[in-house]
Amino acid sequence: MLVIDLPGGALDASNSGHLTYLVTANGKTFPSNGFGNWVRKACDKVRLSTCTGHGIRKAAATIAAENGATAPQIQAIGGWDTLAEAERYTRKADKRKLVAGAIAKIDPLFDPMASGGSKPSHKALK
């Protein structure tokens, strides 16, 4: 079992007595589908009906990868047993960076952060 503590030793400082820091209202560990169901209800409660626990986990992995997290780091926050799933996110983030870098070499005015990118600078591309 992989145990990851939060900054500042939050797990050690908690008085829950659990190795996990997300437990049910009764202080028990969530069953396999329990946390996902809890997230679903919480999202519905705040009118985010399109959000799911799975989607939030994927979003977190994507954001982490795009900000330079390694596959093992993403594996840790995502809770995956193998690196294969986490590597999917780093490959996708790496590919986006490679594409943006290549396009910038074709069009120096290209801004991958601008919404929709910039307009082509070369007359032949207009």
Side-chain angles (χ1 to χ4, degrees):
M1 171 196 250
L2 176 66
V3 177
I4 299 169
D5 201 354
L6 299 173
L11 287 179
D12 290 337
S14 75
N15 60 3
S16 71
H18 295 280
L19 289 177
T20 56
Y21 57 92
L22 297 172
V23 293
T24 68
N26 299 328
K28 307 254 187 234
T29 303
F30 279 99
S32 61
N33 65 345
F35 183 69
N37 292 337
W38 180 86
V39 170
R40 165 80 276 130
K41 289 175 186 173
C43 289
D44 287 344
K45 192 180 279 189
V46 295
R47 297 185 182 152
L48 294 173
S49 59
T50 58
C51 291
T52 64
H54 178 72
I56 292 169
R57 183 166 87 162
K58 285 180 67 173
T62 299
I63 292 166
E66 289 176 352
N67 284 305
T70 65
Q73 290 170 325
I74 294 167
Q75 178 188 7
I77 65 169
W80 292 290
D81 291 331
T82 66
L83 279 177
E85 187 65 29
E87 287 171 339
R88 171 182 295 161
Y89 296 96
T90 57
R91 278 193 307 272
K92 195 179 287 187
D94 290 345
K95 187 174 183 178
R96 284 186 184 141
K97 289 175 189 170
L98 287 170
V99 167
I103 291 173
K105 291 183 184 310
I106 295 167
D107 181 359
L109 299 179
F110 174 76
D111 180 1
M113 301 308 290
S115 111
S118 67
K119 294 181 180 174
S121 62
H122 192 279
K123 290 179 185 176
L125 299 175
K126 290 184 180 179

